[in-house]
Amino acid sequence: MKALVLSGGAGTRLRPITHTSAKQLVPVANKAVLFYGLESIAAAGITDVGMIVGDTAAEIEEAVGDGSKFGLKITYIPQERPLGLAHAVLIARDYLGDDDFVMYLGDNFIVGGITDLVEEFRGNRPDAQILLTRVPDPRSFGVAELDPDGQVVGLEEKPEHPKSDLALVGVYLFTPLIHEAVRSIEPSWRGELEITHAIQQLIDTRADVRSTIISGYWKDTGNVSDMLEVNRMVLESLDRRIDGEVDEATETIGRVVVEEGARIVNSRIVGPVVIGSGTVVSDSYVGPFTSVAENCRITDSELEFSIVLRDSSIHGVGRIESSLIGRHVEVTPAPSVPSAHRLVLGDHSKVQIHS
């Protein structure tokens, strides 16, 4: 069995971060989202991975390499532009051959991995197996309709009027029968080859399409709020570890990780928090659900429920929260400007000025 990992796409919902960085490499608890997926694939006993890459191919390849650090063998498959999930399957046909495969969206996060799902698929070997989860607003997802027996009878991509609240999670398992289905569909109104249409083609031809409803944690980390929420959830599982330097004037409370080479001076750190190697925090407060990557500088500031990427500095700006701060960013106070009021008032005016 092989894996097909999708690591292309423009990441428009994470701009401006993704103007200069691949969305799959934005870190959660100081580790790229993509890496969690690759580790899950390796834990499921899959070693051969085809990785779909687009405009950010060079950055993805630099971060992942040949896959050996994950126990994987990576083959990169370029996609000229994002034309849909089914298009990714189409262009990976030669690589996938006649093997069964799991398709994994590289910006999705699933707690607990996919080992049980892969084992279930290997044991039963339906033509396709999809993961579903209940969401409050399914209009932004592929949506499944089930019959009273729980069988998949229909799929829709981002429907205006969803027939259920069951959204497709970004993990799919297929036999080679899916290749015939992706060749038979036409682009949607979005100009993309939708994987929901291909799976619907399987359903229409009476193929064995099964679903698993997951109750565990899943997030598509495509926007800032979801990224911060995943970061929060991962940090909650931290074990306290102080490998860096923490001076006597500093107070650390709860699940705090200070990586080797980091230095904390005269500060208060309330976990769960992770501070990356080479980072210096001085005269500051870093509060719960915050991850600060390597080689950052946090001085005379307060930071909570935020992600700070590497090589950035925050100095003297009071409190920052619910924020995603990119690489090589400088956050400083604005220069003070003398205040003045410029008025052009008509006759008999009455003016109240609060100074």
Side-chain angles (χ1 to χ4, degrees):
M1 192 170 185
K2 292 177 179 174
L4 184 66
V5 176
L6 276 60
S7 297
T12 55
R13 291 178 294 157
L14 272 175
R15 287 176 179 168
I17 298 293
T18 50
H19 278 310
T20 54
S21 178
K23 63 178 179 178
Q24 298 85 2
L25 296 181
V26 176
V28 167
N30 285 1
K31 181 165 68 176
V33 171
L34 175 61
F35 292 0
Y36 291 96
L38 294 177
E39 290 169 354
S40 294
I41 289 167
I46 299 170
T47 56
D48 292 334
V49 176
M51 188 168 291
I52 303 292
V53 290
D55 292 342
T56 59
E59 187 182 11
I60 295 287
E61 291 184 31
E62 181 181 0
V64 177
D66 62 2
S68 57
K69 63 184 176 182
F70 303 100
L72 302 171
K73 181 181 178 182
I74 304 288
T75 298
Y76 293 98
I77 303 169
Q79 187 181 35
E80 185 176 339
R81 62 185 190 275
L83 294 174
L85 305 188
H87 182 260
V89 176
L90 192 67
I91 64 174
R93 178 69 177 93
D94 290 343
Y95 171 77
L96 294 169
D98 292 326
D99 292 314
D100 296 346
F101 67 97
V102 55
M103 183 168 74
Y104 197 114
L105 274 60
D107 60 353
N108 276 225
F109 188 93
I110 300 176
V111 172
I114 60 171
T115 299
D116 291 344
L117 178 72
V118 170
E119 289 179 354
E120 179 185 351
F121 180 82
R122 283 173 165 154
N124 299 323
R125 202 168 180 266
D127 297 309
Q129 188 161 347
I130 58 177
L131 265 68
L132 304 173
T133 191
R134 299 191 185 279
V135 296
D137 184 3
R139 291 175 298 176
S140 298
F141 304 94
V143 176
E145 181 185 2
L146 306 184
D147 68 15
D149 296 325
Q151 294 297 310
V152 184
V153 295
L155 297 174
E156 294 181 284
E157 186 63 31
K158 297 180 174 62
E160 186 172 347
H161 303 289
K163 295 179 180 177
S164 80
D165 62 352
L166 292 170
L168 275 77
V169 175
V171 177
Y172 309 79
L173 296 106
F174 297 116
T175 67
L177 190 62
I178 191 64
H179 297 299
E180 182 179 339
V182 298
R183 287 195 302 268
S184 68
I185 61 174
E186 298 293 333
S188 68
W189 62 270
R190 302 192 302 165
E192 298 185 2
L193 292 176
E194 311 285 2
I195 197 65
T196 49
H197 292 177
I199 299 171
Q200 184 65 55
Q201 177 72 12
L202 293 179
I203 295 170
D204 292 343
T205 56
R206 300 188 180 279
D208 185 7
V209 178
R210 303 186 188 182
S211 67
T212 300
I213 299 176
I214 63 171
S215 56
Y217 191 88
W218 164 78
K219 277 288 185 183
D220 170 4
T221 59
N223 60 49
V224 173
S225 60
D226 285 343
M227 184 67 70
L228 291 173
E229 177 62 19
V230 171
N231 191 64
R232 180 197 64 77
M233 191 278 306
V234 175
L235 289 176
E236 284 187 330
S237 65
L238 285 180
D239 292 324
R240 181 180 171 89
R241 177 167 51 85
I242 308 294
D243 294 333
E245 179 183 343
V246 178
D247 74 353
E248 292 184 356
T250 292
E251 181 182 22
T252 61
I253 301 171
R255 296 187 298 277
V256 173
V257 173
V258 179
E259 299 287 0
E260 185 176 355
R263 187 160 58 94
I264 316 296
V265 179
N266 191 36
S267 296
R268 189 167 188 260
I269 315 296
V270 180
V273 164
V274 58
I275 307 294
S277 62
T279 287
V280 178
V281 179
S282 59
D283 303 306
S284 295
Y285 164 79
V286 180
F289 312 122
T290 299
S291 59
V292 182
E294 64 273 19
N295 301 320
C296 292
R297 297 292 182 269
I298 312 294
T299 308
D300 191 24
S301 299
E302 297 184 3
L303 188 63
E304 189 168 297
F305 190 51
S306 294
I307 299 172
V308 182
L309 276 60
R310 60 179 173 86
D311 300 302
S312 291
S313 65
I314 300 171
H315 173 73
V317 293
R319 188 174 184 85
I320 294 174
E321 61 182 30
S322 304
S323 298
L324 175 57
I325 297 172
R327 300 173 297 178
H328 300 280
V329 169
E330 293 183 11
V331 182
T332 59
S336 59
V337 177
S339 60
H341 303 285
R342 180 176 181 270
L343 306 175
V344 179
L345 301 175
D347 296 346
H348 308 293
S349 297
K350 291 184 179 181
V351 179
Q352 292 181 329
I353 297 177
H354 178 74
S355 56

